[in-house]
């Protein structure tokens, strides 16, 4: 059974930092691209960042470039999203997903973790 389990969300002040984790299990993800998405209240889910599990190639949404960093740990089968200089517009539920061979729809999703940026 494939599982993606996010953690690390919470309440942070503007300008603060958080690190999200996505623990993947249930199959090999060597051919997958792992992505982070987010959904704010009343808005559609939007792409944040992705990383190819094998090559390490990364992509970022323009809104987070220079502030967020995605990485993966082979030994722990975990993907991370380091978020810095957070602002209110980053408030959302953050989801981890897995996309086979980096094309088409994402095949697997986690349950999400809430990030709230507020003073």
């Amino acid at each position: 059974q494939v599982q993606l389990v996010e953690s690390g969300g919470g309440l942070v002040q503007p300008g603060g930092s958080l690190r999200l984790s996505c623990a993947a299990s249930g199959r090999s993800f060597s051919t997958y691209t792992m992505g982070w998405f987010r959904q704010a209240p009343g808005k559609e889910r939007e792409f944040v960042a992705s990383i190819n599990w094998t090559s390490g190639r990364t992509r970022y949404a323009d809104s987070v470039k220079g502030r967020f960093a995605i990485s993966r740990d082979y030994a722990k089968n975990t993907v991370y999203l380091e978020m810095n200089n957070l602002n209110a517009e980053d408030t959302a539920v953050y989801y981890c997903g897995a996309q086979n061979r980096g094309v088409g729809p994402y095949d697997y999703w986690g349950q999400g973790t809430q990030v709230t940026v507020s003073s």
Side-chain angles (χ1 to χ4, degrees), residues 3 10 12 21-22 29 34 42 49 79 81-82 90 96 100 104 116 119:
Q3 280 192 312
V12 63
S21 300
C22 172
F29 289 91
M34 306 298 290
V79 177
L81 184 68
E82 185 76 33
D90 297 315
C96 174
N100 194 19
T116 302
S119 56

Side-chain angles (χ1 to χ4, degrees), residues 39 55 82 97:
Q39 188 167 18
S55 71
E82 185 76 33

Side-chain angles (χ1 to χ4, degrees), residues 52-80:
N52 181 279
W53 192 264
T54 299
S55 71
R57 183 177 179 180
T58 59
R59 281 202 311 128
Y60 294 94
D62 287 344
S63 58
V64 306
K65 280 181 182 176
R67 300 189 299 124
F68 290 13
I70 188 170
S71 61
R72 83 273 195 239
D73 184 323
Y74 284 118
K76 296 182 178 180
N77 230 31
T78 298
V79 177
Y80 301 99

